[in-house]
Amino acid sequence: MGKNDIFNCNNTSNDLKICGSGLPIYLFVAGLHGDEWRQTSELLLNINPPENGTLAVIPIVNDGEYISTLDDQYYTTLGSKIIDAVESLHPDVYVELHSYSAYNFAKLTDGERINKTGVPAYIELRDGVLLGSVAPYIRLNHFSMDALCISFEIQKDSERSIHFAEELLDVVKNCIKRDDFVEYLEKMFPSQAKRAIENYKKFYGL
Ligand SMILES: [Zn+2]
């Protein structure tokens, strides 16, 4: 911690909180819709600053209604706080924390998801934590292609899932560039990394 770290991320507010300073800029958001905040917000309320750069968090974006983030309406209504933060901070790394019920696991990881919903299937890393892309609407309209934008789905009521998600946030928070996270995945989860990269390239036509 340097002397410029005048903020810390420990807070009990649901609004945007910023800690650390300089680049890169990380934006982590949780509680995007419905009651997902119950499973995810805690992870951001007590998060420590990154070793380098600035971390901005929104622990609860919305704690009531449910609109899917795949619905373009989401980011202009329930999720407008996210767009405001992205436009003012221009994050290099953006992470959404979602949560899912175990009975939806098959649906989220279904290889046919791309044909059913227009977005690639989530990929399980470990302990019920799923890795996926963020919705095309925010990815394509609000970030450069160099940014790292990821979505983690955490299994509801699973302590193991929460713990592993916490570990992942620590990893992501210390990735200086997109390739650092890719390297981590390739080292720790080689087969999932291969699928994630294939999905990403296919999806964004790279
Ligand atoms: Zn969600």
Side-chain angles (χ1 to χ4, degrees), residues 32-33 36 66 98-99 153:
L32 284 88
H33 37 202
E36 290 187 8
Y66 189 94
H98 292 269
S99 89
E153 283 276 359

Side-chain angles (χ1 to χ4, degrees), residues 23-182:
L23 296 173
I25 295 170
Y26 304 86
L27 174 62
F28 294 176
V29 303
L32 284 88
H33 37 202
D35 67 354
E36 290 187 8
W37 64 273
R38 292 180 191 279
Q39 196 73 27
T40 56
S41 298
E42 192 76 27
L43 286 165
L44 300 188
L45 285 171
N46 297 308
I47 195 164
N48 292 315
E51 281 172 25
N52 298 289
T54 305
L55 173 63
V57 298
I58 308 176
I60 301 183
V61 177
N62 178 279
D63 64 357
E65 281 177 76
Y66 189 94
I67 296 178
S68 165
T69 52
L70 295 178
D71 183 331
D72 287 354
Q73 295 284 312
Y74 175 81
Y75 292 97
T76 55
T77 57
L78 303 191
S80 61
K81 259 189 215 178
I82 298 175
I83 300 298
D84 293 345
V86 170
E87 291 304 302
S88 67
L89 297 165
H90 304 290
D92 303 290
V93 177
Y94 171 65
V95 178
E96 288 184 0
L97 295 178
H98 292 269
S99 89
Y100 71 98
S101 299
Y103 61 79
N104 280 325
F105 179 88
K107 199 172 89 185
L108 290 165
T109 56
D110 180 358
E112 288 299 307
R113 188 170 190 252
I114 185 85
N115 302 322
K116 292 176 181 166
T117 66
V119 288
Y122 272 90
I123 296 168
E124 185 182 19
L125 293 180
R126 203 183 81 203
D127 297 335
V129 176
L130 316 181
L131 166 71
S133 317
V134 300
Y137 176 86
I138 186 167
R139 181 73 180 90
L140 298 171
N141 294 315
H142 295 278
F143 287 95
S144 76
M145 288 318 283
D146 295 339
L148 172 66
C149 297
I150 42 184
S151 168
F152 291 124
E153 283 276 359
I154 300 166
Q155 194 171 100
K156 208 171 166 182
D157 301 324
S158 162
E159 280 302 315
R160 288 172 64 203
S161 204
I162 294 173
H163 279 283
F164 181 52
E166 200 172 1
E167 256 181 74
L168 279 170
L169 289 181
D170 274 339
V171 170
V172 174
K173 208 170 73 179
N174 292 309
C175 288
I176 304 290
K177 51 190 188 330
R178 191 173 71 181
D179 287 351
D180 294 339
F181 186 65
V182 175

